[in-house]
Amino acid sequence: MAGRVMLELKSVERHFVQGSKRLSILSGTDFSLHRGEMVALVAPSGAGKSTLLHLAGLLERPDAGEVVLDGRACGRLSDDERTAIRRNDIGFVYQFHHLLPEFTAVENIMMPQLIRGLKHAEAEARAMQLLDYMRISKRAQHRPSELSGGEQQRVAIARAVANAPLVLLADEPTGNLDPVTAGYVFEAMEALVRQSGLAALIATHNHALAERMDRRVTLQDGLVAAL
Ligand code: ADP
Ligand code: MG
């Protein structure tokens, strides 16, 4: 893969204590995600996919090792600095959409841009462009509860990329959808990733979708391994 490394995990460890047991979910793993590539993270439930994505997305800190985003080591940064990177450089999509229920689709996509300091008109134009790209501009003025599951996820994906992040992290983004809808949503996400050239790491149980990505990795004994 020729593109430059956008996300790098270096000897990352994450352990949890459950009762008297110490679980090593990540035990010193390395992983690199390059510009322009889409990588599937395929592993059974409980293997540590969400844990890895949360660390990569700076939502949590590793117990040891380093997360490097576009050459910048994030471990020693303050919470405020990490929040700024999360807002500007990382897009995160969850299995459940996590859209704000009292706001419309277009407003949900505008929100991260407004927080970043963009003017209302600029944010709205970008949000409408993304809705159009996801082929749901007709739903712009609808609230999340008025959207289908597939539409909700498309809005969530549009919101995740609204600030043109460097890296898109998605945690089973189609896990809650029927296979046909999952295919459509994935297609829209793929088009967006390909067009913007960002780097994407997508946890999925769907092998058909995993096959469409550039490469597949799994978690084995706390380490990322090629599939
Ligand atoms: P996956 O996303 O692959 O299903 P997770 O990353 O959610 O897996 O979880 C991996 C393991 O770590 C599971 O056994 C889970 O119970 C455990 N785990 C995750 N988060 C915590 C936590 N905050 N405290 C204790 N155990 C946790
Ligand atoms: Mg998970």
Side-chain angles (χ1 to χ4, degrees), residues 45-46 48-51 95 171-172:
S45 198
K49 301 181 297 298
S50 296
T51 300
Q95 181 171 356
D171 196 354
E172 304 190 39

Side-chain angles (χ1 to χ4, degrees), residues 12-217:
V12 163
E13 296 182 25
R14 188 76 170 115
H15 315 283
F16 296 115
V17 176
Q18 279 184 1
S20 58
K21 275 197 303 190
R22 183 172 179 273
L23 295 174
S24 284
I25 301 305
L26 297 173
S27 50
T29 195
D30 296 321
F31 173 69
S32 297
L33 184 67
H34 300 78
R35 186 175 161 75
E37 75 171 343
M38 271 183 111
V39 177
L41 175 57
V42 186
S45 198
K49 301 181 297 298
S50 296
T51 300
L52 187 150
L53 289 169
H54 290 163
L55 294 171
L58 308 188
L59 294 163
E60 289 173 35
R61 290 176 186 267
D63 296 313
E66 184 62 281
V67 175
V68 183
L69 261 156
D70 196 20
R72 194 169 181 204
C74 298
R76 254 159 260 115
L77 300 180
S78 68
D79 285 343
D80 283 352
E81 288 170 312
R82 287 166 64 92
T83 299
I85 293 177
R86 220 162 47 227
R87 279 187 187 146
N88 300 329
D89 298 331
I90 298 169
F92 209 102
V93 181
Y94 299 87
Q95 181 171 356
F96 301 98
H97 58 80
H98 287 278
L99 296 169
L100 297 170
E102 65 273 33
F103 292 96
T104 63
V106 66
E107 287 167 344
N108 266 281
I109 303 169
M110 290 169 66
M111 205 68 71
Q113 303 177 78
L114 296 175
I115 291 169
R116 194 183 184 176
L118 256 78
K119 292 206 175 71
H120 191 278
E122 281 175 287
E124 189 170 32
R126 164 96 175 140
M128 286 309 298
Q129 193 183 20
L130 285 167
L131 281 168
D132 194 35
Y133 206 85
M134 302 301 274
R135 295 201 214 103
I136 45 169
S137 25
K138 283 193 195 136
R139 297 281 175 269
Q141 304 306 328
H142 291 248
R143 292 186 183 186
S145 62
E146 300 161 347
L147 302 174
S148 71
E151 289 168 344
Q152 289 167 345
Q153 280 308 68
R154 276 185 272 190
V155 176
I157 292 163
R159 179 182 59 174
V161 301
N163 280 336
L166 304 172
V167 173
L168 177 67
L169 303 169
D171 196 354
E172 304 190 39
T174 63
N176 203 28
L177 306 174
D178 66 79
V180 173
T181 306
Y184 286 132
V185 169
F186 179 81
E187 225 161 74
M189 180 165 65
E190 187 178 27
L192 204 58
V193 169
R194 299 297 183 199
Q195 169 253 3
S196 60
L198 56 75
L201 178 61
I202 299 161
T204 183
H205 283 296
N206 186 323
H207 286 272
L209 298 185
E211 281 305 317
R212 291 169 56 169
M213 298 193 218
D214 300 315
R215 60 188 171 100
R216 286 144 290 284
V217 296

